[in-house]
Amino acid sequence: MGAFVDAALGFPAVVFSFALLVVIAYWLFAAVTGLVGDAVGADGDMAAAGRGAGGFTVLPAALGLGGVPVMVVLSLVVAVAWFTALAAGVAVGAAGPPVWLDWPARTAGLVLALAAGWYATWLLARPLRRLGGTGRPVGRRDFVGRTCVVRTSGVTPAYGQAEVTAADGSSATVQVRADAGNGLAAGSRALIFAYDAEGEFFRVAPADGVPGASGSFG
């Protein structure tokens, strides 16, 4: 047991040991409370539209790991990287290289661990997307044409938020704007008819009486 602890706290495994404890704690918390992070799209749209997650979701997408819940991605990367780093550290220790070669060898093990973590997660990303029922990631423009529920006291040309549900059942709170005098208030249903990429908000209009409006909240 002592040898295992020494290896886990030695370089390069120690780089991932704390992260692994955080991941384990997260999933234990999720198992007890039932709270699990939302899936994000390959372009980070879902999180950026609803939660402003920024680079935290863009980075996995840039690495080809989009369309899978962020915590699943992080958990897989950390778990595989930790195991690889642990094995690399044990192998270097057993080989007993000269002191001048020990640190470069362990650093190479760290690089190998990161590569292994990414590659294993990349291989699993596609089946995980299918398992989650996301044939492709949900993007901001997927909300256009759907109805939403206003969550602020009103919607003006400069301010407003609403909750919208995508076709796959995932939901997000998004920024919305409407013409003055629209009559929209908290709890009102609105139709999303356009997305403003520059302002990063959706244009909406009252949904009542609009034929064929989809995504109703009932």
Side-chain angles (χ1 to χ4, degrees):
M1 185 65 180
F4 173 79
V5 173
D6 289 342
L9 296 180
F11 186 77
V14 68
V15 175
F16 306 102
S17 292
F18 177 73
L20 183 64
L21 291 177
V22 173
V23 165
I24 293 173
Y26 170 84
W27 288 111
L28 288 175
F29 176 79
V32 172
T33 64
L35 299 176
V36 181
D38 293 322
V40 295
D43 55 0
D45 279 353
M46 186 69 168
R51 294 165 180 79
F56 186 61
T57 59
V58 172
L59 180 58
L63 295 176
L65 304 176
V68 179
V70 172
M71 278 308 301
V72 173
V73 169
L74 292 178
S75 299
L76 288 171
V77 170
V78 168
V80 174
W82 177 83
F83 181 81
T84 305
L86 183 69
V90 170
V92 172
V99 175
W100 63 270
L101 189 58
D102 183 81
W103 184 259
R106 292 180 182 274
T107 302
L110 174 63
V111 175
L112 176 64
L114 289 170
W118 168 81
Y119 186 65
T121 306
W122 180 78
L123 288 177
L124 291 170
R126 180 166 299 191
L128 284 173
R129 290 188 196 107
R130 293 199 189 103
L131 184 63
T134 55
R136 67 176 182 83
V138 175
R140 295 181 183 181
R141 288 176 176 79
D142 291 321
F143 291 139
V144 175
R146 303 193 67 79
T147 56
C148 59
V149 173
V150 177
R151 294 308 185 198
T152 49
S153 59
V155 180
T156 72
Y159 174 75
Q161 291 184 338
E163 183 179 358
V164 58
T165 298
D168 65 356
S170 58
S171 63
T173 300
V174 298
Q175 298 294 321
V176 294
R177 304 290 185 267
D179 294 336
N182 53 72
L184 293 171
S188 299
R189 292 172 61 252
L191 174 67
I192 298 174
F193 64 86
Y195 173 66
D196 189 307
E198 182 176 351
E200 296 188 343
F201 59 79
F202 294 91
R203 296 192 180 277
V204 299
D208 294 338
V210 177
S214 62
S216 172
F217 279 71

